[in-house]
Amino acid sequence: MSQNTQKNWFILGNNPELSAAEISAVLNLDKFEKKDFQPPLLVVEKKFDAKELIKKLGGTIKITEEIGENKNQQELVSLIINDLKKQNGKIHFGLSDYSFKSSENLYRLKKIGLAIKKELKQLGLSVRFAFNNEQILSSVSVDKNDLIKKGGEYIYIWKPSGFSVAKTVAVQPFESFGSRDFGRPGRDSLSGMLPPKLALIMLNLAKSTPSDTLLDPFCGSGTIINEAIALGIKNIIGTDNSERAIKDTQQNVEWLKSQSIIKDQLSTFDSFVSPVENLSNHLKKNSIDKIITEPYLGKPLKGNEKYETLVHQANDLKILYLQAFTEFKKILKPGGTVVFIIPCFKQGNNWIRIGLENELLKIGFKSNPLLKLNDKEYGYFLYARPDQKVGREIWKFVNLDK
Ligand SMILES: C[S@@+](CC[C@H](N)C(=O)[O-])C[C@H]1O[C@@H](n2cnc3c(N)ncnc32)[C@H](O)[C@@H]1O
């Protein structure tokens, strides 16, 4: 198989559409075929450095390379054995079956694993089968067992035409995400903190590059800013109307700079207190490339609020957001991008939404589709756990000035 036609399977996170949108933005892929998007799998044929790429993505758990298609069970076993035989020293391997979850599939996985182990032992090789009584190995297990270096994790799915199989080449660096999430000193759980992975996805949806000047005008404790620094963006500005938020952000940036992973990437970092409504008093016209932000989402909800209360809150926020975009228009470069979270509020089984698209068009911003699957375009994605009262819609808008 030539490198150009290498098929890669991306194992996507909890929001597979959003993860696919992120990959489409980062790899500059205009659209995906529906047949290639079978959550949690996305098949991508493109050349890239998987070990570098996985560090930049917030929504991908594993990147794998396809090594076989349409195999029967014996062929699958032989294929894996032949691949593992190339390994020097003690072999460590694991299996994950991404077909639907069932006790039969788990039983089959164990049987396949033991067959591989037995045959390799008969060849006189020392071998360990990493098996946790689970159909899918977590990225933590793949990493802790050092499978990529010492043998491999083989991922397969069964279809009526046979097994397709891939080998994991990179897993999400969960430890650095965890430490950026829980290690930072400035935390404000009351205002709410964005999950760092979502912050990274938002930066990627905007196609942020190191030379961009990036602004988060509701920076809170600086989750987006820290992810932007980790991504290598060099010029960053954080503003917020709360002094406490700016202090938290500054403390978190200092903390991140003290970590060995990022050394001298950041050129300029500026942060100051400003209500979003006054931003253009502080920042120059046409000076910002990207605005990535999670704005004020309204008062925390108990879940028993009346419909009218939620509609009232939605209307108040709409006014704030339109004021914010009026300011963004002044400071953003022509063609500049805004990735923005618009909250929605759960009422029974429905979401009360804040429609902004038409008004934003009048201000001069157009919504930009995040994902194309065949001919279907997705303008936004809802990010919400089932128990959450406030959902987050992720949107991308482009400044229509050319
Ligand atoms: C949801 S929090 C952002 C959290 C942030 N993404 C993080 O992960 O830490 C919203 C922030 O908006 C700020 N805020 C509220 N109203 C504002 C306004 N009118 N102008 C600027 N900032 C405002 C709040 O102080 C708060 O820090």
Side-chain angles (χ1 to χ4, degrees), residues 184 188 191-195 216-224 239-243 245 249 274-277 293-297 320 323 392:
R184 54 190 162 159
D188 181 1
S191 280
M193 289 185 299
L194 195 64
D216 179 355
F218 296 91
C219 66
S221 52
T223 314
I224 291 173
T239 61
D240 197 289
N241 72 350
S242 140
E243 240 167 75
T249 291
S274 167
V276 74
E277 299 89 327
T293 197
E294 176 194 39
Y296 175 58
L297 305 175
L320 173 68
Q323 284 173 322
R392 294 171 166 109

Side-chain angles (χ1 to χ4, degrees), residues 76-77 91 172 296:
L76 174 70
V77 168
I91 295 168
Q172 192 165 56
Y296 175 58

Side-chain angles (χ1 to χ4, degrees), residues 15-28 32 56-59 197-209 212 214 231 233 290-292 337-341 368-371 378-381 383 393-398:
N15 291 270
E17 284 86 3
L18 193 59
S19 302
E22 182 188 33
I23 294 164
S24 132
V26 171
L27 292 181
N28 277 319
F32 295 117
K56 293 186 188 153
L57 296 174
K197 287 182 191 174
L198 180 55
L200 185 52
I201 292 174
M202 290 171 70
L203 287 156
N204 281 326
L205 291 175
K207 297 186 183 234
S208 304
T209 61
D212 282 339
L214 189 136
L231 198 58
I233 294 170
K290 307 274 157 69
I291 295 177
I292 318 290
T337 303
V338 183
V339 173
F340 197 86
I341 289 179
N368 195 286
L370 295 176
L371 177 67
Y378 294 79
Y380 73 93
F381 290 113
Y383 186 98
E393 292 178 5
I394 320 294
W395 286 83
K396 174 171 165 177
F397 297 99
V398 175

Side-chain angles (χ1 to χ4, degrees), residues 277-288:
E277 299 89 327
N278 290 346
L279 262 185
S280 62
N281 294 346
H282 304 282
L283 295 169
K284 285 198 193 114
K285 203 170 177 261
N286 294 350
S287 62
I288 307 290

Side-chain angles (χ1 to χ4, degrees), residues 246-309:
I246 293 300
K247 279 202 186 106
D248 283 346
T249 291
Q250 288 168 345
Q251 207 183 359
N252 286 336
V253 168
E254 280 315 308
W255 172 81
L256 189 67
K257 278 163 64 183
S258 72
Q259 304 292 296
S260 55
I261 33 164
I262 59 138
K263 289 201 181 82
D264 304 315
Q265 293 168 4
L266 191 60
S267 308
T268 61
F269 168 63
D270 198 5
S271 57
F272 52 88
V273 176
S274 167
V276 74
E277 299 89 327
N278 290 346
L279 262 185
S280 62
N281 294 346
H282 304 282
L283 295 169
K284 285 198 193 114
K285 203 170 177 261
N286 294 350
S287 62
I288 307 290
D289 296 283
K290 307 274 157 69
I291 295 177
I292 318 290
T293 197
E294 176 194 39
Y296 175 58
L297 305 175
K299 291 197 194 99
L301 301 182
K302 294 198 183 85
N304 57 358
E305 285 79 5
K306 286 194 196 126
Y307 175 77
E308 292 73 26
T309 313

